[in-house]
Amino acid sequence: MGRWEPGASGRLREAALALYLERGFEQTMVADIAERAGVTARTFFRYFGDKREVLFDGSSELEERSLAALEAAPATASALDAVSAALDAAAETIGDNRDLARARQRVITANASLRERELIKLTSMSAAVAGGLRQRGIGDAEASLAAETGIAVFRVAFERWVNAAEDRDFGDVIHETLTQLRTLTAAS
Amino acid sequence: MGRWEPGASGRLREAALALYLERGFEQTMVADIAERAGVTARTFFRYFGDKREVLFDGSSELEERSLAALEAAPATASALDAVSAALDAAAETIGDNRDLARARQRVITANASLRERELIKLTSMSAAVAGGLRQRGIGDAEASLAAETGIAVFRVAFERWVNAAEDRDFGDVIHETLTQLRTLTAAS
DNA sequence: CTATTGATGTCATCTGATGACATGGGATTG
DNA sequence: CAATCCCATGTCATCAGATGACATCAATAG
């Protein structure tokens, strides 16, 4: 391959997270990250579109797995049931390493522009889920509403799980949140 | 007051929206906006924190009015009812000029970084609504879930209203969406 | 051995953003 | 009326993020 140490993108990811944790996102310059990873800043931008994206690499994988679960749900499942299956898959993907999730989330929560990026990733996920629902024959309106609702549940559940004192299973927290949603909307 | 034509921030807002519509957001430089408004770029950044913020000025007013409606809701109202009242207020604030909303939305939808900014504004709104619900004695978990759900309804409803062929009342669309949500979550 | 390829470096440049300081017209005050 | 202050704005300098154009060099194919 190349003449340099392989795995540049991985090193950049690690270096970025470490530095963002040490000094904060804004206080970290791309040149610093690149230096720690043993490349130049120009190379950083070849791997990641911008300074924030380096923290959101896995999101496409998350989206793919969730979509796969959505498609695999039985045809008889309701819109919300299918969304629930997608959420389970998401939980399984993320739920393995809570420490990493927490570190990442600490960095993101501390910075507005990172929160922005996180939100748009979730929105992309929402759009994808809505598309998956439509392919299951669900109408446009119901599809987007169910997808948005699913994302809302995910957001709330993730925040609970990450900040929980005890070590809970992410999937359980999601189901609990979903149940709470049903209660909430049922009450008149 | 100053020695120059007053109303600089208003002129900057108008100039920005016009230019974003004409050439697109990224193709418009801050210096262009400033020039059209008769000030310098430095002045632009005195009024608006960044190039995107100029499109989101009214969001604080929207938040305030919605919060006021939330607080004004009867004490007996459920969490979702209170949220519904807040959404009504939001609809009333926005619903007057659909053309402006549509122009703004066209610009925002066309640009990823503007969509990011819009999302974080909605999240800020969500947090504020959750806070308002907590002040009504609703528990943390239920408050944030109800708020997030409300935002989801708002997003879906706004998108429908703005893109609708006919000229519908925004409040009506919101109620319709809310009803649909209840149906959705009720089905087992 | 030579050509090709692909990841990386180097250089130049643009734009967004921000701090420090200057300026001058209107408002205030004696 | 004149001295003075206030403050919105201008001017200047500088930095960091981002991107295009082109050079470079090791591995690998043929």
Side-chain angles (χ1 to χ4, degrees):
Chain A
M1 294 280 171
R3 82 199 102 150
W4 298 271
E5 208 59 29
S9 80
R11 294 201 309 278
L12 283 167
R13 257 192 299 276
E14 289 171 21
L17 178 58
L19 287 171
Y20 292 169
L21 279 169
E22 287 174 21
R23 334 177 176 167
F25 176 75
E26 285 173 348
Q27 285 67 45
T28 303
M29 285 167 297
V30 174
D32 301 333
I33 304 171
E35 190 186 9
R36 184 176 290 206
V39 295
T40 60
R42 190 66 184 83
T43 293
F44 178 94
F45 286 109
R46 286 206 177 88
Y47 281 102
F48 307 100
D50 61 47
K51 195 184 161 188
R52 295 172 276 170
E53 197 62 18
V54 67
L55 286 179
F56 297 93
D57 243 32
S59 70
S60 62
E61 186 197 341
L62 185 69
E63 189 170 311
E64 286 161 17
R65 293 204 195 181
S66 305
L67 267 194
L70 186 81
E71 287 168 12
T76 58
S78 71
L80 209 57
D81 287 341
V83 168
S84 176
L87 289 179
D88 284 345
E92 197 176 350
T93 304
I94 295 179
D96 283 338
N97 35 16
R98 183 166 170 248
D99 287 341
L100 177 61
R102 186 184 268 152
R104 230 181 61 99
Q105 205 58 22
R106 235 181 70 201
V107 173
I108 293 172
T109 308
N111 183 274
S113 75
L114 287 173
R115 290 198 299 271
E116 289 184 348
R117 178 55 53 86
E118 183 183 40
L119 291 170
I120 210 167
K121 293 292 182 186
L122 287 173
T123 302
S124 152
M125 180 111 162
S126 169
V129 168
L133 289 174
R134 264 182 254 117
Q135 279 197 321
R136 297 172 65 84
I138 294 169
D140 276 21
E142 188 177 346
S144 53
L145 186 57
E148 282 291 329
T149 305
I151 297 299
V153 167
F154 178 86
R155 281 167 51 71
V156 172
F158 182 77
E159 201 258 339
R160 283 186 199 173
W161 173 69
V162 147
N163 294 327
E166 339 86 73
D167 228 338
R168 308 188 51 194
D169 179 70
F170 189 17
D172 290 347
V173 180
I174 283 188
H175 284 146
E176 173 188 297
T177 307
L178 206 46
T179 300
Q180 189 168 27
L181 173 69
R182 292 191 197 271
T183 309
L184 202 66
T185 52
S188 169
Chain B
M1 292 280 169
R3 83 199 99 150
W4 298 272
E5 208 60 29
S9 81
R11 293 201 311 277
L12 284 166
R13 257 193 300 275
E14 288 171 21
L17 178 57
L19 287 171
Y20 292 168
L21 279 169
E22 287 173 21
R23 334 179 176 166
F25 176 75
E26 284 172 350
Q27 285 66 46
T28 303
M29 284 168 298
V30 175
D32 302 333
I33 304 171
E35 189 186 8
R36 183 176 290 208
V39 296
T40 61
R42 191 66 185 81
T43 293
F44 178 94
F45 286 110
R46 287 206 177 89
Y47 282 101
F48 308 101
D50 61 46
K51 195 184 161 187
R52 294 172 277 170
E53 197 63 17
V54 67
L55 286 180
F56 297 92
D57 243 32
S59 70
S60 63
E61 187 197 340
L62 185 69
E63 189 171 312
E64 285 161 19
R65 291 203 195 181
S66 305
L67 268 194
L70 186 82
E71 287 168 12
T76 58
S78 73
L80 209 58
D81 287 341
V83 168
S84 175
L87 288 178
D88 284 344
E92 197 176 351
T93 304
I94 295 178
D96 282 339
N97 35 16
R98 181 164 170 248
D99 288 340
L100 176 61
R102 185 184 268 152
R104 232 182 61 101
Q105 206 58 22
R106 236 181 69 203
V107 173
I108 293 173
T109 308
N111 183 273
S113 75
L114 287 173
R115 290 198 299 270
E116 289 185 347
R117 178 55 52 88
E118 183 183 39
L119 290 170
I120 210 167
K121 292 292 181 184
L122 286 173
T123 301
S124 152
M125 180 110 162
S126 169
V129 168
L133 289 174
R134 265 182 254 116
Q135 279 197 320
R136 298 171 65 86
I138 294 167
D140 276 21
E142 188 177 346
S144 54
L145 186 57
E148 282 292 329
T149 305
I151 297 298
V153 168
F154 177 85
R155 280 166 53 70
V156 173
F158 182 78
E159 201 259 340
R160 284 186 200 172
W161 173 69
V162 147
N163 294 327
E166 340 86 72
D167 228 338
R168 307 188 51 194
D169 179 71
F170 188 18
D172 290 349
V173 180
I174 283 187
H175 284 148
E176 173 188 296
T177 307
L178 205 46
T179 300
Q180 190 168 27
L181 173 69
R182 291 191 197 271
T183 310
L184 203 66
T185 52
S188 170

PDB file of all heavy atoms in Angstrom, chain A residues 6-8 15-16 19 24 51 55-56 63 66-67 69 75 95 99 102 113 137 152 160 165 168 182:
ATOM      1  N   PRO A   6       0.023   2.243   8.280  1.00  0.00           N
ATOM      2  CA  PRO A   6      -1.383   2.111   7.891  1.00  0.00           C
ATOM      3  C   PRO A   6      -2.317   2.429   9.057  1.00  0.00           C
ATOM      4  O   PRO A   6      -1.892   2.530  10.196  1.00  0.00           O
ATOM      5  CB  PRO A   6      -1.477   0.646   7.495  1.00  0.00           C
ATOM      6  CG  PRO A   6      -0.427  -0.041   8.296  1.00  0.00           C
ATOM      7  CD  PRO A   6       0.698   0.953   8.439  1.00  0.00           C
ATOM      8  N   GLY A   7      -3.592   2.586   8.736  1.00  0.00           N
ATOM      9  CA  GLY A   7      -4.597   2.841   9.770  1.00  0.00           C
ATOM     10  C   GLY A   7      -4.691   4.295  10.171  1.00  0.00           C
ATOM     11  O   GLY A   7      -5.014   4.616  11.315  1.00  0.00           O
ATOM     12  N   ALA A   8      -4.438   5.150   9.231  1.00  0.00           N
ATOM     13  CA  ALA A   8      -4.446   6.591   9.539  1.00  0.00           C
ATOM     14  C   ALA A   8      -5.796   7.044  10.090  1.00  0.00           C
ATOM     15  O   ALA A   8      -5.846   7.784  11.080  1.00  0.00           O
ATOM     16  CB  ALA A   8      -4.090   7.388   8.292  1.00  0.00           C
ATOM     17  N   ALA A  15      -7.061   9.914  18.247  1.00  0.00           N
ATOM     18  CA  ALA A  15      -6.382  11.156  18.633  1.00  0.00           C
ATOM     19  C   ALA A  15      -7.409  12.262  18.867  1.00  0.00           C
ATOM     20  O   ALA A  15      -7.319  13.021  19.839  1.00  0.00           O
ATOM     21  CB  ALA A  15      -5.394  11.566  17.555  1.00  0.00           C
ATOM     22  N   ALA A  16      -8.388  12.335  17.977  1.00  0.00           N
ATOM     23  CA  ALA A  16      -9.390  13.396  18.089  1.00  0.00           C
ATOM     24  C   ALA A  16     -10.186  13.263  19.382  1.00  0.00           C
ATOM     25  O   ALA A  16     -10.315  14.228  20.148  1.00  0.00           O
ATOM     26  CB  ALA A  16     -10.317  13.361  16.879  1.00  0.00           C
ATOM     27  N   LEU A  19      -8.051  14.166  22.408  1.00  0.00           N
ATOM     28  CA  LEU A  19      -7.789  15.602  22.538  1.00  0.00           C
ATOM     29  C   LEU A  19      -9.055  16.385  22.877  1.00  0.00           C
ATOM     30  O   LEU A  19      -9.018  17.324  23.674  1.00  0.00           O
ATOM     31  CB  LEU A  19      -7.159  16.134  21.244  1.00  0.00           C
ATOM     32  CG  LEU A  19      -5.710  15.715  21.024  1.00  0.00           C
ATOM     33  CD1 LEU A  19      -5.235  16.091  19.625  1.00  0.00           C
ATOM     34  CD2 LEU A  19      -4.812  16.358  22.067  1.00  0.00           C
ATOM     35  N   GLY A  24     -10.994  19.970  25.206  1.00  0.00           N
ATOM     36  CA  GLY A  24     -12.239  20.500  24.670  1.00  0.00           C
ATOM     37  C   GLY A  24     -12.166  20.590  23.164  1.00  0.00           C
ATOM     38  O   GLY A  24     -11.083  20.666  22.581  1.00  0.00           O
ATOM     39  N   LYS A  51     -14.135  18.857  11.044  1.00  0.00           N
ATOM     40  CA  LYS A  51     -13.577  18.586  12.369  1.00  0.00           C
ATOM     41  C   LYS A  51     -14.549  17.809  13.249  1.00  0.00           C
ATOM     42  O   LYS A  51     -14.138  17.144  14.197  1.00  0.00           O
ATOM     43  CB  LYS A  51     -13.254  19.949  12.993  1.00  0.00           C
ATOM     44  CG  LYS A  51     -12.353  19.936  14.199  1.00  0.00           C
ATOM     45  CD  LYS A  51     -12.241  21.375  14.733  1.00  0.00           C
ATOM     46  CE  LYS A  51     -11.767  21.403  16.165  1.00  0.00           C
ATOM     47  NZ  LYS A  51     -11.832  22.770  16.729  1.00  0.00           N
ATOM     48  N   LEU A  55     -16.098  12.285  14.907  1.00  0.00           N
ATOM     49  CA  LEU A  55     -16.782  11.633  16.037  1.00  0.00           C
ATOM     50  C   LEU A  55     -18.014  10.850  15.606  1.00  0.00           C
ATOM     51  O   LEU A  55     -18.631  10.176  16.426  1.00  0.00           O
ATOM     52  CB  LEU A  55     -17.203  12.693  17.070  1.00  0.00           C
ATOM     53  CG  LEU A  55     -16.111  13.303  17.929  1.00  0.00           C
ATOM     54  CD1 LEU A  55     -16.698  14.346  18.861  1.00  0.00           C
ATOM     55  CD2 LEU A  55     -15.387  12.234  18.718  1.00  0.00           C
ATOM     56  N   PHE A  56     -18.391  10.965  14.345  1.00  0.00           N
ATOM     57  CA  PHE A  56     -19.659  10.370  13.916  1.00  0.00           C
ATOM     58  C   PHE A  56     -19.500   9.334  12.821  1.00  0.00           C
ATOM     59  O   PHE A  56     -20.409   9.113  12.019  1.00  0.00           O
ATOM     60  CB  PHE A  56     -20.606  11.478  13.452  1.00  0.00           C
ATOM     61  CG  PHE A  56     -20.978  12.428  14.533  1.00  0.00           C
ATOM     62  CD1 PHE A  56     -20.257  13.587  14.734  1.00  0.00           C
ATOM     63  CD2 PHE A  56     -22.028  12.147  15.386  1.00  0.00           C
ATOM     64  CE1 PHE A  56     -20.577  14.468  15.746  1.00  0.00           C
ATOM     65  CE2 PHE A  56     -22.369  13.020  16.399  1.00  0.00           C
ATOM     66  CZ  PHE A  56     -21.635  14.188  16.585  1.00  0.00           C
ATOM     67  N   GLU A  63     -27.026   3.113  11.233  1.00  0.00           N
ATOM     68  CA  GLU A  63     -28.193   3.276  10.385  1.00  0.00           C
ATOM     69  C   GLU A  63     -28.457   2.015   9.574  1.00  0.00           C
ATOM     70  O   GLU A  63     -29.596   1.542   9.480  1.00  0.00           O
ATOM     71  CB  GLU A  63     -27.982   4.479   9.458  1.00  0.00           C
ATOM     72  CG  GLU A  63     -29.210   4.877   8.676  1.00  0.00           C
ATOM     73  CD  GLU A  63     -29.012   6.215   7.963  1.00  0.00           C
ATOM     74  OE1 GLU A  63     -28.561   7.189   8.601  1.00  0.00           O
ATOM     75  OE2 GLU A  63     -29.331   6.290   6.757  1.00  0.00           O
ATOM     76  N   SER A  66     -29.836  -0.806  11.799  1.00  0.00           N
ATOM     77  CA  SER A  66     -31.210  -0.547  12.206  1.00  0.00           C
ATOM     78  C   SER A  66     -32.166  -0.774  11.042  1.00  0.00           C
ATOM     79  O   SER A  66     -33.238  -1.371  11.210  1.00  0.00           O
ATOM     80  CB  SER A  66     -31.329   0.900  12.702  1.00  0.00           C
ATOM     81  OG  SER A  66     -30.395   1.147  13.722  1.00  0.00           O
ATOM     82  N   LEU A  67     -31.742  -0.322   9.879  1.00  0.00           N
ATOM     83  CA  LEU A  67     -32.581  -0.503   8.699  1.00  0.00           C
ATOM     84  C   LEU A  67     -32.778  -1.983   8.393  1.00  0.00           C
ATOM     85  O   LEU A  67     -33.880  -2.425   8.057  1.00  0.00           O
ATOM     86  CB  LEU A  67     -31.962   0.189   7.496  1.00  0.00           C
ATOM     87  CG  LEU A  67     -32.429   1.602   7.252  1.00  0.00           C
ATOM     88  CD1 LEU A  67     -32.027   2.063   5.872  1.00  0.00           C
ATOM     89  CD2 LEU A  67     -33.945   1.691   7.421  1.00  0.00           C
ATOM     90  N   ALA A  69     -32.762  -4.425  10.469  1.00  0.00           N
ATOM     91  CA  ALA A  69     -33.707  -4.965  11.444  1.00  0.00           C
ATOM     92  C   ALA A  69     -35.129  -4.564  11.095  1.00  0.00           C
ATOM     93  O   ALA A  69     -36.076  -5.355  11.241  1.00  0.00           O
ATOM     94  CB  ALA A  69     -33.340  -4.480  12.844  1.00  0.00           C
ATOM     95  N   ALA A  75     -44.004  -9.002   8.447  1.00  0.00           N
ATOM     96  CA  ALA A  75     -44.877  -8.131   7.653  1.00  0.00           C
ATOM     97  C   ALA A  75     -46.122  -7.724   8.424  1.00  0.00           C
ATOM     98  O   ALA A  75     -46.745  -6.706   8.127  1.00  0.00           O
ATOM     99  CB  ALA A  75     -45.266  -8.831   6.348  1.00  0.00           C
ATOM    100  N   GLY A  95     -24.858  -0.679  22.519  1.00  0.00           N
ATOM    101  CA  GLY A  95     -24.879  -1.061  23.924  1.00  0.00           C
ATOM    102  C   GLY A  95     -23.668  -1.822  24.436  1.00  0.00           C
ATOM    103  O   GLY A  95     -23.550  -2.052  25.643  1.00  0.00           O
ATOM    104  N   ASP A  99     -18.823   2.746  28.134  1.00  0.00           N
ATOM    105  CA  ASP A  99     -17.785   3.718  28.477  1.00  0.00           C
ATOM    106  C   ASP A  99     -17.418   4.603  27.294  1.00  0.00           C
ATOM    107  O   ASP A  99     -17.302   5.822  27.422  1.00  0.00           O
ATOM    108  CB  ASP A  99     -16.533   2.996  29.000  1.00  0.00           C
ATOM    109  CG  ASP A  99     -16.765   2.443  30.381  1.00  0.00           C
ATOM    110  OD1 ASP A  99     -17.709   2.911  31.059  1.00  0.00           O
ATOM    111  OD2 ASP A  99     -16.027   1.529  30.793  1.00  0.00           O
ATOM    112  N   ARG A 102     -20.172   6.912  26.611  1.00  0.00           N
ATOM    113  CA  ARG A 102     -20.229   7.994  27.581  1.00  0.00           C
ATOM    114  C   ARG A 102     -19.166   9.055  27.306  1.00  0.00           C
ATOM    115  O   ARG A 102     -19.441  10.252  27.364  1.00  0.00           O
ATOM    116  CB  ARG A 102     -20.050   7.418  28.983  1.00  0.00           C
ATOM    117  CG  ARG A 102     -20.246   8.446  30.075  1.00  0.00           C
ATOM    118  CD  ARG A 102     -19.973   7.853  31.432  1.00  0.00           C
ATOM    119  NE  ARG A 102     -21.176   7.329  32.058  1.00  0.00           N
ATOM    120  CZ  ARG A 102     -21.166   6.336  32.934  1.00  0.00           C
ATOM    121  NH1 ARG A 102     -20.026   5.726  33.225  1.00  0.00           N
ATOM    122  NH2 ARG A 102     -22.289   5.938  33.494  1.00  0.00           N
ATOM    123  N   SER A 113     -21.872  22.871  18.504  1.00  0.00           N
ATOM    124  CA  SER A 113     -21.778  22.485  17.093  1.00  0.00           C
ATOM    125  C   SER A 113     -21.719  20.961  16.966  1.00  0.00           C
ATOM    126  O   SER A 113     -22.155  20.405  15.958  1.00  0.00           O
ATOM    127  CB  SER A 113     -20.573  23.142  16.439  1.00  0.00           C
ATOM    128  OG  SER A 113     -19.374  22.524  16.839  1.00  0.00           O
ATOM    129  N   GLY A 137     -45.160  -0.580   3.000  1.00  0.00           N
ATOM    130  CA  GLY A 137     -46.529  -0.288   2.613  1.00  0.00           C
ATOM    131  C   GLY A 137     -47.244   0.685   3.528  1.00  0.00           C
ATOM    132  O   GLY A 137     -48.466   0.853   3.442  1.00  0.00           O
ATOM    133  N   ALA A 152     -37.398  10.141  18.815  1.00  0.00           N
ATOM    134  CA  ALA A 152     -37.630  10.795  20.103  1.00  0.00           C
ATOM    135  C   ALA A 152     -37.404   9.803  21.242  1.00  0.00           C
ATOM    136  O   ALA A 152     -36.741  10.105  22.239  1.00  0.00           O
ATOM    137  CB  ALA A 152     -39.041  11.366  20.165  1.00  0.00           C
ATOM    138  N   ARG A 160     -30.960   8.628  29.127  1.00  0.00           N
ATOM    139  CA  ARG A 160     -31.154   7.955  30.414  1.00  0.00           C
ATOM    140  C   ARG A 160     -30.090   6.901  30.642  1.00  0.00           C
ATOM    141  O   ARG A 160     -29.504   6.800  31.714  1.00  0.00           O
ATOM    142  CB  ARG A 160     -32.532   7.265  30.423  1.00  0.00           C
ATOM    143  CG  ARG A 160     -33.671   8.199  30.646  1.00  0.00           C
ATOM    144  CD  ARG A 160     -34.961   7.395  30.778  1.00  0.00           C
ATOM    145  NE  ARG A 160     -36.115   8.259  30.540  1.00  0.00           N
ATOM    146  CZ  ARG A 160     -37.358   7.817  30.464  1.00  0.00           C
ATOM    147  NH1 ARG A 160     -37.607   6.516  30.590  1.00  0.00           N
ATOM    148  NH2 ARG A 160     -38.344   8.655  30.246  1.00  0.00           N
ATOM    149  N   ALA A 165     -27.027   5.759  36.919  1.00  0.00           N
ATOM    150  CA  ALA A 165     -26.046   5.389  37.942  1.00  0.00           C
ATOM    151  C   ALA A 165     -25.682   3.917  37.801  1.00  0.00           C
ATOM    152  O   ALA A 165     -24.510   3.541  37.798  1.00  0.00           O
ATOM    153  CB  ALA A 165     -26.604   5.683  39.323  1.00  0.00           C
ATOM    154  N   ARG A 168     -27.315  -0.447  33.238  1.00  0.00           N
ATOM    155  CA  ARG A 168     -28.502  -1.101  32.702  1.00  0.00           C
ATOM    156  C   ARG A 168     -28.297  -1.509  31.254  1.00  0.00           C
ATOM    157  O   ARG A 168     -27.404  -1.015  30.567  1.00  0.00           O
ATOM    158  CB  ARG A 168     -29.700  -0.159  32.807  1.00  0.00           C
ATOM    159  CG  ARG A 168     -29.895   0.412  34.194  1.00  0.00           C
ATOM    160  CD  ARG A 168     -31.188   1.164  34.261  1.00  0.00           C
ATOM    161  NE  ARG A 168     -32.289   0.342  33.744  1.00  0.00           N
ATOM    162  CZ  ARG A 168     -33.479   0.823  33.428  1.00  0.00           C
ATOM    163  NH1 ARG A 168     -33.710   2.108  33.571  1.00  0.00           N
ATOM    164  NH2 ARG A 168     -34.431   0.031  32.968  1.00  0.00           N
ATOM    165  N   ARG A 182     -46.430   5.072  25.284  1.00  0.00           N
ATOM    166  CA  ARG A 182     -47.801   4.582  25.067  1.00  0.00           C
ATOM    167  C   ARG A 182     -48.727   5.081  26.166  1.00  0.00           C
ATOM    168  O   ARG A 182     -49.859   5.504  25.912  1.00  0.00           O
ATOM    169  CB  ARG A 182     -47.812   3.051  25.026  1.00  0.00           C
ATOM    170  CG  ARG A 182     -47.109   2.463  23.809  1.00  0.00           C
ATOM    171  CD  ARG A 182     -47.422   0.968  23.717  1.00  0.00           C
ATOM    172  NE  ARG A 182     -46.507   0.253  22.835  1.00  0.00           N
ATOM    173  CZ  ARG A 182     -46.695   0.099  21.530  1.00  0.00           C
ATOM    174  NH1 ARG A 182     -47.756   0.611  20.957  1.00  0.00           N
ATOM    175  NH2 ARG A 182     -45.821  -0.570  20.811  1.00  0.00           N
TER     176      ARG A 182
END
